[in-house]
Amino acid sequence: MVLADFPLLLLNPAHRAAYDKVTKWLLRDSVQRRIMRHTVRRPVNTTVTRDAPLREPIGNALFYPDQPAVIETLLADYGDPDRRTASQVVFLLDFSGSMRGARMAALREAFAGLSGADPSASGKFTRFYRGERLTVVRFGGRVLEQTTVTVTGPKDLTALAGTVARGGYGDATAVWSALDRGYRTAALELAADPDRSVSLVLMTDGENNAGLSYAEFVRRHKALPAAVRATVPTYPVHFGEADADELRRAAATTGGRMVEAAGSSLSEAFKEIRGCH
């Protein structure tokens, strides 16, 4: 248990008299008793007898850490590699020719941020955590490579970064074939561990021009086990010249939602998706 003590602060000294009146009222035994009974908080006054459910000692409670290093350590160690219900994210990443150059640099920067390179508060909160299972599928006109790791330390994130760092671009964009591969991967994961939480992230900068049609993907999605269809959402990232309407349809079909990267960056889009989980 972590306790935070935020005392009532006086912001304007000109209102000292009103401030003293309010704080004196809050500390009355009768008011402390009312607070205890209506909000199930322990009274600060030792003269107020606690109600029965609040008489047990708190135990080893900690006040909110006052050192940033403690918070950083807790965030870095967030997650338990042994817990059965650890989540899995399948990233379907467009490696067609249009992603060369600045767009691929942005994608790699986004993954580096999720792997711990982003020092901001939001970056620390949304980074990959210990015990999380991660799959990266690189695709062009077909699936080019698929890598899965369970994060136990830096070596696993290095392996994942290597998959994203490699070249080998495709000459077309098979969006729906990649999404179909993602759902087949999710189905296998859920068959092995029905309690696992699985989601898909689809990032493309273009329109589908190879592989399965959208209609065929929908037909295959409807044929998946009910548990997969009901619990595995897709979060498409709208980037570049990707068809926003089709991506919204894919999100609606799978219970996810589309995230815009056109007006911000891939890093911010990925962090927004991480915040959805």
Side-chain angles (χ1 to χ4, degrees), residues 5-23 26:
D5 181 14
F6 298 107
L8 193 64
L9 298 179
L10 175 63
L11 300 179
N12 187 343
H15 297 289
R16 166 64 66 180
Y19 169 83
D20 289 342
K21 184 177 181 180
V22 170
T23 54
L26 285 172

Side-chain angles (χ1 to χ4, degrees), residues 145-169:
E145 184 179 359
Q146 178 168 334
T147 302
T148 298
V149 302
T150 298
V151 180
T152 59
K155 70 179 187 307
D156 303 304
L157 296 177
T158 300
L160 206 64
T163 302
V164 179
R166 277 192 282 280
Y169 295 90

Side-chain angles (χ1 to χ4, degrees), residues 14-34:
H15 297 289
R16 166 64 66 180
Y19 169 83
D20 289 342
K21 184 177 181 180
V22 170
T23 54
K24 184 177 180 180
W25 179 82
L26 285 172
L27 292 173
R28 286 180 185 174
D29 284 2
S30 60
V31 175
Q32 286 285 301
R33 197 173 292 112
R34 286 167 59 191

Side-chain angles (χ1 to χ4, degrees), residues 26-211:
L26 285 172
L27 292 173
R28 286 180 185 174
D29 284 2
S30 60
V31 175
Q32 286 285 301
R33 197 173 292 112
R34 286 167 59 191
I35 292 173
M36 173 180 64
R37 290 174 180 170
H38 283 84
T39 67
V40 198
R41 287 178 169 85
R42 289 172 171 82
V44 296
N45 296 357
T46 56
T47 53
V48 177
T49 302
R50 294 179 184 178
D51 287 344
L54 300 176
R55 290 174 188 168
E56 289 292 328
I58 294 175
N60 294 326
L62 302 174
F63 282 93
Y64 194 83
D66 59 357
Q67 298 179 19
V70 176
I71 305 298
E72 290 171 2
T73 301
L74 290 172
L75 287 172
D77 199 43
Y78 176 68
D80 180 355
D82 296 321
R83 67 179 183 175
R84 274 182 52 79
T85 56
S87 67
Q88 174 163 359
V89 184
V90 180
F91 291 91
L92 308 166
L93 306 179
D94 185 347
F95 269 67
S96 60
S98 60
M99 283 292 296
R100 293 178 186 273
R103 291 180 177 179
M104 185 53 60
L107 175 61
R108 289 167 178 160
E109 180 183 6
F111 256 79
L114 295 178
S115 298
D118 184 347
S120 68
S122 60
K124 293 175 182 178
F125 179 73
T126 55
R127 67 178 54 169
F128 300 135
Y129 61 81
R130 288 180 62 231
E132 190 171 18
R133 192 166 168 82
L134 304 167
T135 296
V136 168
V137 177
R138 298 168 54 244
F139 72 92
R142 58 180 177 80
V143 171
L144 302 171
E145 184 179 359
Q146 178 168 334
T147 302
T148 298
V149 302
T150 298
V151 180
T152 59
K155 70 179 187 307
D156 303 304
L157 296 177
T158 300
L160 206 64
T163 302
V164 179
R166 277 192 282 280
Y169 295 90
D171 56 0
T173 308
V175 174
W176 310 123
S177 293
L179 195 54
D180 179 63
R181 167 66 76 90
Y183 272 97
R184 284 189 282 133
T185 300
L188 290 173
E189 293 291 341
L190 286 176
D193 185 355
D195 293 329
R196 185 176 295 277
S197 170
V198 184
S199 59
L200 276 58
V201 176
L202 169 65
M203 193 291 298
T204 179
D205 72 337
E207 297 183 10
N208 185 74
N209 56 18

Side-chain angles (χ1 to χ4, degrees), residues 249-270:
R249 288 166 61 197
T253 297
T254 62
R257 69 178 179 86
M258 190 185 78
V259 175
E260 281 284 357
S264 55
S265 68
L266 279 178
S267 292
E268 291 304 312
F270 281 141

